[in-house]
Amino acid sequence: MMRTNLSILLFIFCGTLLSRAQQNVLIFSKTTEFRHESIPKGVATVSEILKAEGIGVQHTEDVLYFCKDSLANFDALIFLSTTGDLFDTEQKKAIQQFINSGKGFVGIHAASDTEHHWPWYGQLVGGYFASHPAVQKAKIDVLKKDHPSTEGLQSVWWHKDEWYDFKEVQPGLNILMTVDESSYKGGKMGQFHPVAWFREFDGGRTFYTALGHTNESFDSKEFRKHLLGGVKYVLQLH
């Protein structure tokens, strides 16, 4: 009987360790300004590719998740086309503490069109959205191919999307990809136009990609690999 009870206790203990070992991410897609039609498709796609890798996923648009006790359940935040000012002072503090503790942040597309009045967030995401022309196909130059988000991609990748111009681009970013403004109409950044980057920031890891405006972009095998690799980077799973 004692052996049976001991076996049960060990099973429960090991199960607890395994559940704690699983990496969990929170996908956040709340908007207070422009809302992208692709958000539902993006949430479903990111959830699918992460769950296939054994990564736990929770999606919300409730800012009440952004408190210390709730965020303790997650290893990374994914801001998927969020827009506008979203958080109060205490929620901002909780997000900063989350990153300070060594956890991760992924920004997708309009995550850079979020919290324009919170300088720390601008540093976290790496730059702010400034403008964009019409959706069109353009040439992406993959500069770093030794990163989880770009490994396996060709050096030149043609992709149809909404090409953001940025302001307040932060120093110290590791630029992964640029878009060639000569390959489309309406770009305003010139010869060096970054569209994806990563870095270690304020104790944690960050990854941002400007891609993801359209529903169709989430069907792209290359983009799905790009997203998965970015999440793996901030979770330190590479």
Side-chain angles (χ1 to χ4, degrees), residues 125-156:
V125 76
Y128 283 119
F129 162 79
S131 61
H132 67 77
V135 173
Q136 56 197 296
K137 184 175 283 190
K139 173 178 169 260
I140 297 172
D141 292 311
V142 179
L143 305 183
K144 289 181 178 289
K145 299 186 69 175
D146 57 352
H147 189 268
S149 69
T150 51
E151 62 184 7
L153 295 180
Q154 296 182 352
S155 298
V156 173

Side-chain angles (χ1 to χ4, degrees), residues 45-63:
T45 299
V46 174
S47 298
E48 175 190 337
I49 62 178
L50 295 186
K51 288 177 181 179
E53 295 289 320
I55 298 169
V57 178
Q58 176 71 43
H59 169 241
T60 190
E61 295 199 348
D62 187 348
V63 295

Side-chain angles (χ1 to χ4, degrees), residues 28-95:
F28 184 59
S29 56
K30 183 178 176 63
T31 58
T32 58
E33 295 183 8
F34 182 82
R35 186 168 182 84
H36 282 75
E37 181 185 340
S38 62
I39 286 175
K41 179 67 174 287
V43 170
T45 299
V46 174
S47 298
E48 175 190 337
I49 62 178
L50 295 186
K51 288 177 181 179
E53 295 289 320
I55 298 169
V57 178
Q58 176 71 43
H59 169 241
T60 190
E61 295 199 348
D62 187 348
V63 295
L64 294 181
Y65 268 76
F66 292 87
C67 64
K68 184 176 180 180
D69 290 345
S70 175
L71 291 182
N73 296 304
F74 302 100
D75 301 288
L77 304 174
I78 301 176
F79 281 29
L80 196 156
S81 284
T82 49
T83 58
D85 293 330
L86 303 171
F87 306 108
D88 65 22
T89 300
E90 287 303 309
Q91 290 158 356
K92 291 177 181 178
K93 182 179 178 181
I95 295 170

Side-chain angles (χ1 to χ4, degrees), residues 187-221:
K188 295 180 179 180
M189 294 188 71
Q191 291 186 347
F192 187 71
H193 186 152
V195 290
W197 53 74
F198 72 97
R199 71 166 167 166
E200 294 184 6
F201 171 73
D202 217 8
R205 287 185 169 197
T206 71
F207 166 79
Y208 173 79
T209 181
L211 282 58
H213 174 77
T214 68
N215 281 307
E216 292 76 17
S217 63
F218 289 97
D219 291 326
S220 163
K221 292 181 180 179

Side-chain angles (χ1 to χ4, degrees), residues 107-109 112 138-143 157 159 161-166 169 173-181 184 189 192-198 207-212 223 226:
I108 300 173
H109 197 54
S112 60
K139 173 178 169 260
I140 297 172
D141 292 311
V142 179
L143 305 183
W157 173 19
H159 178 75
D161 219 305
E162 183 178 70
W163 303 106
Y164 276 7
D165 300 299
F166 297 98
V169 176
L173 301 178
N174 298 292
I175 306 301
L176 291 161
M177 306 190 309
T178 58
V179 63
D180 183 350
E181 289 194 357
Y184 72 102
M189 294 188 71
F192 187 71
H193 186 152
V195 290
W197 53 74
F198 72 97
F207 166 79
Y208 173 79
T209 181
L211 282 58
F223 185 45
H226 179 56

